[in-house]
Amino acid sequence: MFSNVTYLTIGGFVEVEKYRLLYFFVLFSVYIIIICSNVTIVCLIWRHQNLHEPMYVFIAALLCNSVLFGTVIYPKMLIDVLSEEQVVTYPACLLQCFLIYSLYGSEFMLLAVMAYDRYVSICKPLQYPTIMTKSKARGFLVLAWVVPSAQIAVPNILVADMKLCSFNLKGIFCNNMIQKLHCVTSVTVSVYGVFVLINVTIIPVCFILFTYGKILVITSRSGKEVRKKAAETCLPHLLVLINFSCLVTYDVITVKLEADFPRIVRLVMTVQVVLYHPLFNPIIYGLKMKEISRHLNRLFCKETIEMID
């Protein structure tokens, strides 16, 4: 099924032999922080009854995405920095690429669902319980994970049999750079890629901006309390959207422009993608969402008191 060339070289690391232990320590520490920070907030949402509202359930799903994203990338990087050769099989690279972009797509879909949830909550508060039911919330979650995965699986299947003419991947994990390794560029894959990009990225972002625009217009005519509620619940979502959109834009631009950056510059910029995305969400929602922040303060204050005693 796959090309007769089995292994690809991961060529994005700089002087691995010299800084092997430093790479491992930094990556392992960041991975542990990603797991602990995201899982802590997810557990708080699961444990406390007052956080079982759709908004917090969607936040928990977003944080689970961050854990999955970190798990798809960091363990392989940890293995690479401890290995004499940084290699990956072509099928495994395609799988990692599929998982990363599926999670990218589900992130945008979840943010779009959260924007709709905030619109109904703020602009139609009396109808909110009947519109945003538990079954509808579960349906949105399923769609947010299934729709991007189903669409992104297609180009991965189409390129699985394509011949490779280059075996050196300029990065520290598998992303769309893998397309540059093929001997010929498939027009079908390129066109379908644009279709998927529009479906799982541009349309959700446009919907989010339209929805928050409507919220802004409606709340500007309302009282101070309504505006305060809108700011408290919408601002974290917008910050996450802006941050994530910048990271995805960088990923797309570097692939399309084929910019020949020095290895150290490419490494630093790529590390920012895998570092900021899974850590930004728990920081923003932990600090900016009042109910989550309150429960976090209680949790850590309680643990501090127990340690003193």
Side-chain angles (χ1 to χ4, degrees):
M1 178 180 176
F2 294 97
S3 172
N4 55 359
V5 178
T6 306
Y7 287 95
L8 305 177
T9 300
I10 304 294
F13 291 101
V14 177
E15 297 188 62
V16 181
E17 299 81 7
K18 186 176 180 181
Y19 300 110
R20 192 184 307 279
L21 293 179
L22 178 61
Y23 273 126
F24 182 84
F25 175 77
V26 172
L27 293 174
F28 183 74
S29 299
V30 171
Y31 183 49
I32 294 300
I33 294 171
I34 289 170
I35 297 296
C36 292
S37 58
N38 284 281
V39 170
T40 297
I41 298 179
V42 171
C43 289
L44 282 177
I45 293 172
W46 175 76
R47 179 179 177 184
H48 295 281
Q49 193 66 33
N50 67 322
L51 298 181
H52 289 186
E53 299 175 9
M55 176 178 67
Y56 297 109
V57 173
F58 296 142
I59 289 174
L62 210 61
L63 298 178
C64 287
N65 252 29
S66 296
V67 173
L68 292 172
F69 180 82
T71 302
V72 167
I73 290 178
Y74 278 87
K76 179 62 173 74
M77 287 198 298
L78 290 171
I79 293 171
D80 285 337
V81 297
L82 292 179
S83 303
E84 292 299 322
E85 294 182 340
Q86 292 74 49
V87 296
V88 62
T89 64
Y90 182 51
C93 196
L94 284 177
L95 176 61
Q96 186 181 53
C97 189
F98 161 72
L99 292 173
I100 288 171
Y101 289 105
S102 294
L103 291 170
Y104 277 178
S106 64
E107 189 101 355
F108 280 115
M109 296 284 283
L110 285 170
L111 288 170
V113 169
M114 293 163 81
Y116 174 71
D117 175 75
R118 290 302 82 208
Y119 169 76
V120 177
S121 175
I122 294 168
C123 303
K124 300 180 179 181
L126 298 179
Q127 302 174 45
Y128 182 80
T130 57
I131 295 177
M132 191 58 69
T133 60
K134 289 184 178 180
S135 60
K136 185 176 288 187
R138 286 193 293 267
F140 282 142
L141 288 177
V142 172
L143 288 175
W145 276 311
V146 171
V147 171
S149 298
Q151 295 188 46
I152 291 168
V154 175
N156 277 266
I157 294 172
L158 291 176
V159 302
D161 290 321
M162 292 181 66
K163 185 179 179 181
L164 301 177
C165 285
S166 177
F167 319 120
N168 183 29
L169 197 66
K170 295 180 180 179
I172 56 177
F173 60 90
C174 296
N175 59 4
N176 272 339
M177 281 289 184
I178 198 172
Q179 296 179 11
K180 306 304 177 184
L181 306 182
H182 298 136
C183 297
V184 294
T185 301
S186 171
V187 176
T188 303
V189 172
S190 299
V191 172
Y192 186 81
V194 173
F195 169 76
V196 173
L197 180 67
I198 293 172
N199 266 2
V200 303
T201 302
I202 296 176
I203 291 178
V205 169
C206 290
F207 175 79
I208 292 166
L209 295 177
F210 173 78
T211 303
Y212 282 126
K214 292 279 289 183
I215 292 174
L216 181 63
V217 170
I218 292 173
T219 54
S220 64
R221 303 169 186 166
S222 306
K224 184 178 179 181
E225 287 299 317
V226 176
R227 290 197 297 271
K228 183 180 178 182
K229 177 186 176 184
E232 287 177 351
T233 59
C234 293
L235 183 60
H237 304 327
L238 285 173
L239 290 174
V240 170
L241 173 66
I242 293 169
N243 170 72
F244 189 61
S245 297
C246 290
L247 297 180
V248 172
T249 301
Y250 160 74
D251 182 79
V252 172
I253 288 176
T254 52
V255 174
K256 295 302 179 185
L257 294 184
E258 299 184 79
D260 191 20
F261 297 117
R263 286 179 67 190
I264 185 64
V265 174
R266 186 182 294 276
L267 174 64
V268 171
M269 295 175 73
T270 305
V271 165
Q272 292 183 61
V273 175
V274 299
L275 178 65
Y276 290 157
H277 166 53
L279 281 179
F280 191 78
N281 289 356
I283 291 172
I284 288 298
Y285 289 120
L287 294 177
K288 295 295 184 181
M289 298 300 290
K290 185 184 294 183
E291 286 299 320
I292 294 176
S293 180
R294 184 181 296 122
H295 284 298
L296 283 173
N297 288 333
R298 288 175 183 172
L299 174 65
F300 289 112
C301 286
K302 181 181 178 181
E303 289 182 352
T304 303
I305 292 172
E306 289 177 350
M307 288 176 65
I308 294 174
D309 292 342

